[in-house]
Amino acid sequence: MIAVITICGTHAGLFRVLGGAHTLLVVAGFNAALFALSAPGIAARWRGTARVLVGIAVPTMVVALAGLAYGR
């Protein structure tokens, strides 16, 4: 809830918080590693890592490429 208020308030120009994007990346990376790498076996860890990549990295790249292709 605090993260949502901070992000929306910063984008709306209500206040200015420096380093918010970096903090969000750290928290997202920590949570991804926590859930992807907590499996007991190596094969399960690889599956968890692949699941994170497919679920987060691939859609992010698609949106970024669409923005590059259609943005001016």
Side-chain angles (χ1 to χ4, degrees):
M1 181 72 166
I2 294 171
V4 172
I5 292 170
T6 304
I7 291 169
C8 291
T10 302
H11 285 299
L14 298 174
F15 46 84
R16 186 171 180 196
V17 179
L18 298 176
H22 296 99
T23 304
L24 185 60
L25 285 172
V26 168
V27 171
F30 176 78
N31 285 329
L34 181 69
F35 292 112
L37 300 177
S38 63
I42 292 176
R45 285 189 204 123
W46 278 106
R47 280 192 303 275
T49 302
R51 205 170 32 245
V52 167
L53 287 175
V54 169
I56 296 173
V58 172
T60 301
M61 287 185 269
V62 168
V63 170
L65 286 173
L68 287 172
Y70 296 112
R72 286 190 174 197

